[in-house]
mmCIF file of all heavy atoms in Angstrom:
data_model
loop_
_atom_site.group_PDB
_atom_site.id
_atom_site.type_symbol
_atom_site.label_atom_id
_atom_site.label_comp_id
_atom_site.label_asym_id
_atom_site.label_seq_id
_atom_site.Cartn_x
_atom_site.Cartn_y
_atom_site.Cartn_z
ATOM 1 N N THR A 1613 8.465 -28.662 -2.766
ATOM 2 C CA THR A 1613 9.336 -28.585 -1.713
ATOM 3 C C THR A 1613 10.184 -29.894 -1.641
ATOM 4 O O THR A 1613 10.034 -30.717 -2.534
ATOM 5 C CB THR A 1613 8.620 -28.452 -0.358
ATOM 6 O OG1 THR A 1613 8.014 -29.643 0.020
ATOM 7 C CG2 THR A 1613 7.442 -27.370 -0.447
ATOM 8 N N GLU A 1614 10.950 -29.904 -0.551
ATOM 9 C CA GLU A 1614 11.823 -31.177 -0.429
ATOM 10 C C GLU A 1614 10.900 -32.504 -0.188
ATOM 11 O O GLU A 1614 11.270 -33.570 -0.452
ATOM 12 C CB GLU A 1614 12.734 -31.053 0.781
ATOM 13 C CG GLU A 1614 13.696 -29.932 0.639
ATOM 14 C CD GLU A 1614 14.613 -29.679 1.925
ATOM 15 O OE1 GLU A 1614 14.610 -30.677 2.702
ATOM 16 O OE2 GLU A 1614 15.100 -28.621 2.092
ATOM 17 N N VAL A 1618 3.634 -27.122 -1.139
ATOM 18 C CA VAL A 1618 3.132 -26.116 -0.167
ATOM 19 C C VAL A 1618 2.243 -25.113 -0.899
ATOM 20 O O VAL A 1618 2.534 -24.793 -2.089
ATOM 21 C CB VAL A 1618 4.389 -25.383 0.502
ATOM 22 C CG1 VAL A 1618 5.151 -24.616 -0.432
ATOM 23 C CG2 VAL A 1618 3.860 -24.511 1.663
ATOM 24 N N LEU A 1658 2.730 -18.115 8.893
ATOM 25 C CA LEU A 1658 2.631 -16.726 8.505
ATOM 26 C C LEU A 1658 4.031 -16.291 8.041
ATOM 27 O O LEU A 1658 4.865 -16.267 8.897
ATOM 28 C CB LEU A 1658 1.993 -15.843 9.635
ATOM 29 C CG LEU A 1658 1.935 -14.285 9.333
ATOM 30 C CD1 LEU A 1658 0.964 -14.069 8.175
ATOM 31 C CD2 LEU A 1658 1.429 -13.604 10.587
ATOM 32 N N LEU A 1659 4.246 -15.893 6.821
ATOM 33 C CA LEU A 1659 5.551 -15.452 6.382
ATOM 34 C C LEU A 1659 5.946 -14.117 6.979
ATOM 35 O O LEU A 1659 5.317 -13.127 6.959
ATOM 36 C CB LEU A 1659 5.504 -15.287 4.794
ATOM 37 C CG LEU A 1659 6.795 -15.271 4.119
ATOM 38 C CD1 LEU A 1659 7.649 -16.539 4.298
ATOM 39 C CD2 LEU A 1659 6.580 -15.094 2.669
ATOM 40 N N SER A 1660 7.123 -14.104 7.612
ATOM 41 C CA SER A 1660 7.643 -12.930 8.303
ATOM 42 C C SER A 1660 9.128 -12.905 8.227
ATOM 43 O O SER A 1660 9.780 -13.735 7.670
ATOM 44 C CB SER A 1660 7.098 -13.005 9.843
ATOM 45 O OG SER A 1660 7.431 -11.813 10.427
ATOM 46 N N GLY A 1662 11.166 -13.273 10.801
ATOM 47 C CA GLY A 1662 11.718 -14.131 11.888
ATOM 48 C C GLY A 1662 10.579 -15.064 12.462
ATOM 49 O O GLY A 1662 9.491 -14.843 12.358
ATOM 50 N N GLU A 1663 11.065 -16.196 13.007
ATOM 51 C CA GLU A 1663 10.164 -17.137 13.546
ATOM 52 C C GLU A 1663 9.486 -16.760 14.841
ATOM 53 O O GLU A 1663 8.375 -17.234 15.163
ATOM 54 C CB GLU A 1663 10.849 -18.500 13.713
ATOM 55 C CG GLU A 1663 11.346 -18.980 12.474
ATOM 56 C CD GLU A 1663 12.187 -20.361 12.636
ATOM 57 O OE1 GLU A 1663 12.334 -20.699 13.846
ATOM 58 O OE2 GLU A 1663 12.474 -20.999 11.684
ATOM 59 N N GLY A 1688 2.575 -20.594 13.574
ATOM 60 C CA GLY A 1688 3.312 -19.368 13.911
ATOM 61 C C GLY A 1688 3.994 -18.777 12.671
ATOM 62 O O GLY A 1688 3.639 -19.042 11.544
ATOM 63 N N ASN A 1689 4.880 -17.954 13.011
ATOM 64 C CA ASN A 1689 5.766 -17.236 11.955
ATOM 65 C C ASN A 1689 6.676 -18.249 11.255
ATOM 66 O O ASN A 1689 7.254 -19.089 11.896
ATOM 67 C CB ASN A 1689 6.552 -16.091 12.562
ATOM 68 C CG ASN A 1689 5.775 -14.829 12.886
ATOM 69 O OD1 ASN A 1689 4.657 -14.703 12.282
ATOM 70 N ND2 ASN A 1689 6.209 -14.080 13.750
ATOM 71 N N VAL A 1690 6.880 -18.054 10.031
ATOM 72 C CA VAL A 1690 7.857 -18.878 9.246
ATOM 73 C C VAL A 1690 8.606 -17.837 8.390
ATOM 74 O O VAL A 1690 8.178 -16.759 7.995
ATOM 75 C CB VAL A 1690 7.249 -19.912 8.300
ATOM 76 C CG1 VAL A 1690 6.481 -20.967 9.189
ATOM 77 C CG2 VAL A 1690 6.269 -19.253 7.317
ATOM 78 N N GLU A 1691 9.871 -18.245 8.114
ATOM 79 C CA GLU A 1691 10.729 -17.346 7.238
ATOM 80 C C GLU A 1691 10.778 -17.927 5.749
ATOM 81 O O GLU A 1691 10.344 -19.030 5.482
ATOM 82 C CB GLU A 1691 12.147 -17.292 7.770
ATOM 83 C CG GLU A 1691 12.157 -16.719 9.090
ATOM 84 C CD GLU A 1691 13.655 -16.662 9.646
ATOM 85 O OE1 GLU A 1691 14.407 -15.730 9.293
ATOM 86 O OE2 GLU A 1691 14.040 -17.575 10.481
ATOM 87 N N GLY A 1692 11.273 -17.109 4.833
ATOM 88 C CA GLY A 1692 11.217 -17.537 3.459
ATOM 89 C C GLY A 1692 11.867 -18.859 3.254
ATOM 90 O O GLY A 1692 11.479 -19.634 2.419
ATOM 91 N N ARG A 1693 13.010 -19.090 3.934
ATOM 92 C CA ARG A 1693 13.772 -20.389 3.824
ATOM 93 C C ARG A 1693 12.908 -21.628 4.256
ATOM 94 O O ARG A 1693 13.215 -22.736 3.808
ATOM 95 C CB ARG A 1693 15.072 -20.335 4.625
ATOM 96 C CG ARG A 1693 14.864 -20.146 6.050
ATOM 97 C CD ARG A 1693 16.125 -19.930 6.783
ATOM 98 N NE ARG A 1693 15.923 -19.790 8.278
ATOM 99 C CZ ARG A 1693 16.891 -19.378 9.007
ATOM 100 N NH1 ARG A 1693 18.113 -19.092 8.606
ATOM 101 N NH2 ARG A 1693 16.646 -19.221 10.345
ATOM 102 N N ASP A 1694 11.862 -21.431 5.027
ATOM 103 C CA ASP A 1694 11.073 -22.443 5.518
ATOM 104 C C ASP A 1694 10.056 -23.007 4.426
ATOM 105 O O ASP A 1694 9.556 -24.165 4.647
ATOM 106 C CB ASP A 1694 10.291 -22.081 6.799
ATOM 107 C CG ASP A 1694 11.181 -21.696 7.873
ATOM 108 O OD1 ASP A 1694 12.243 -22.329 8.096
ATOM 109 O OD2 ASP A 1694 10.868 -20.685 8.536
ATOM 110 N N ILE A 1695 9.799 -22.210 3.459
ATOM 111 C CA ILE A 1695 8.789 -22.648 2.403
ATOM 112 C C ILE A 1695 9.116 -23.926 1.788
ATOM 113 O O ILE A 1695 8.303 -24.734 1.560
ATOM 114 C CB ILE A 1695 8.644 -21.520 1.427
ATOM 115 C CG1 ILE A 1695 8.019 -20.167 2.086
ATOM 116 C CG2 ILE A 1695 7.692 -21.896 0.247
ATOM 117 C CD1 ILE A 1695 7.937 -19.008 1.145
ATOM 118 N N PHE A 1696 10.438 -24.174 1.458
ATOM 119 C CA PHE A 1696 10.765 -25.240 0.704
ATOM 120 C C PHE A 1696 11.294 -26.529 1.450
ATOM 121 O O PHE A 1696 11.643 -27.398 0.835
ATOM 122 C CB PHE A 1696 11.861 -24.801 -0.350
ATOM 123 C CG PHE A 1696 11.388 -23.705 -1.297
ATOM 124 C CD1 PHE A 1696 11.844 -22.393 -1.077
ATOM 125 C CD2 PHE A 1696 10.536 -23.915 -2.345
ATOM 126 C CE1 PHE A 1696 11.385 -21.437 -1.907
ATOM 127 C CE2 PHE A 1696 10.144 -22.912 -3.141
ATOM 128 C CZ PHE A 1696 10.497 -21.715 -2.936
ATOM 129 N N THR A 1697 11.196 -26.438 2.831
ATOM 130 C CA THR A 1697 11.649 -27.654 3.476
ATOM 131 C C THR A 1697 10.622 -28.765 3.452
ATOM 132 O O THR A 1697 10.998 -29.800 3.791
ATOM 133 C CB THR A 1697 11.911 -27.248 5.026
ATOM 134 O OG1 THR A 1697 10.668 -26.755 5.621
ATOM 135 C CG2 THR A 1697 12.907 -26.105 5.066
ATOM 136 N N GLY A 1698 9.375 -28.443 3.201
ATOM 137 C CA GLY A 1698 8.347 -29.490 3.231
ATOM 138 C C GLY A 1698 7.789 -29.670 4.665
ATOM 139 O O GLY A 1698 6.910 -30.574 4.807
ATOM 140 N N ASP A 1699 8.114 -28.818 5.626
ATOM 141 C CA ASP A 1699 7.514 -28.882 6.923
ATOM 142 C C ASP A 1699 6.436 -27.979 7.180
ATOM 143 O O ASP A 1699 6.012 -27.669 8.292
ATOM 144 C CB ASP A 1699 8.701 -28.553 8.011
ATOM 145 C CG ASP A 1699 9.821 -29.635 7.871
ATOM 146 O OD1 ASP A 1699 9.540 -30.830 7.654
ATOM 147 O OD2 ASP A 1699 10.950 -29.171 8.004
ATOM 148 N N LEU A 1700 5.851 -27.541 6.099
ATOM 149 C CA LEU A 1700 4.702 -26.528 6.099
ATOM 150 C C LEU A 1700 3.814 -26.854 4.925
ATOM 151 O O LEU A 1700 4.203 -27.326 3.900
ATOM 152 C CB LEU A 1700 5.242 -25.102 5.910
ATOM 153 C CG LEU A 1700 4.385 -23.930 6.146
ATOM 154 C CD1 LEU A 1700 3.987 -23.768 7.603
ATOM 155 C CD2 LEU A 1700 5.067 -22.584 5.609
ATOM 156 N N ASP A 1701 2.488 -26.619 5.188
ATOM 157 C CA ASP A 1701 1.582 -26.992 4.110
ATOM 158 C C ASP A 1701 0.950 -25.725 3.501
ATOM 159 O O ASP A 1701 0.615 -25.704 2.307
ATOM 160 C CB ASP A 1701 0.348 -27.755 4.716
ATOM 161 C CG ASP A 1701 0.881 -29.093 5.246
ATOM 162 O OD1 ASP A 1701 1.521 -29.904 4.518
ATOM 163 O OD2 ASP A 1701 0.707 -29.398 6.482
ATOM 164 N N ALA A 1703 1.569 -21.378 3.478
ATOM 165 C CA ALA A 1703 2.357 -20.099 3.777
ATOM 166 C C ALA A 1703 1.493 -18.915 3.398
ATOM 167 O O ALA A 1703 1.077 -18.784 2.293
ATOM 168 C CB ALA A 1703 3.698 -20.064 3.090
#
Side-chain angles (χ1 to χ4, degrees):
T1613 75
E1614 296 175 24
V1618 63
L1658 179 62
L1659 197 58
S1660 187
E1663 295 178 353
N1689 285 336
V1690 296
E1691 298 181 83
R1693 63 188 177 190
D1694 299 319
I1695 294 175
F1696 299 103
T1697 63
D1699 298 324
L1700 189 70
D1701 301 301

